[in-house]
Amino acid sequence: MAASGFADLPAPPYYAVIFSSQRSAADAEGYDRTATRMAELVRDQPGFLGFESTRGADGFGITVAYFDSEQSIRAWREHAEHTVARDLGHRRWYQRFEQRIAVVQRAYGGPHTPSD
């Protein structure tokens, strides 16, 4: 992830795994520790391109992880340590979650330049 919070991504096409979640109040320290570890671990996954993540004060968050292929997404999903963390999330850390996988076909944007 770039210093700005935006992922530094190649030109499309690529895949986006969109994870929306509502945090529970349980075990904030364990959640933070595990989230940090998952962010470190996914960076070493073949095919991982980057991620963007945010969470509001109400506990609602969205993380978008970008991968080069469905096979790379599957490999991350099957990673042993990620599987344990995901199971803990389902049982302890999330009141609700949704995951969606999409193909990014076009991407555009850039820095805002204020006009005078």
Side-chain angles (χ1 to χ4, degrees):
M1 181 165 25
S4 67
F6 287 91
D8 185 19
L9 298 168
Y14 47 82
Y15 289 80
V17 178
I18 306 156
F19 182 73
S20 304
S21 63
Q22 181 65 53
R23 278 274 290 120
S24 71
D27 188 22
E29 184 178 313
Y31 174 83
D32 290 342
R33 186 175 48 252
T34 302
T36 298
R37 174 64 181 148
M38 291 302 103
E40 294 167 354
L41 196 60
V42 73
R43 285 182 174 95
D44 293 332
Q45 282 295 118
F48 173 73
L49 302 174
F51 74 92
E52 298 162 339
S53 188
T54 189
R55 185 164 304 278
D58 64 353
F60 181 77
I62 298 175
T63 296
V64 183
Y66 301 97
F67 292 87
D68 67 355
S69 68
E70 288 185 272
Q71 293 80 9
S72 297
I73 294 168
R74 193 173 304 108
W76 173 237
R77 179 169 176 72
E78 294 171 356
H79 186 285
E81 198 171 340
H82 181 226
T83 298
V84 170
R86 192 174 58 250
D87 290 345
L88 278 170
H90 296 175
R91 288 185 287 115
R92 184 182 302 167
W93 295 320
Y94 300 121
Q95 292 175 358
R96 180 178 176 183
F97 67 91
E98 298 286 338
Q99 184 165 296
R100 299 163 179 100
I101 298 172
V103 177
V104 177
Q105 295 181 357
R106 286 184 302 282
Y108 51 90
H112 173 69
T113 52
S115 58
D116 293 348

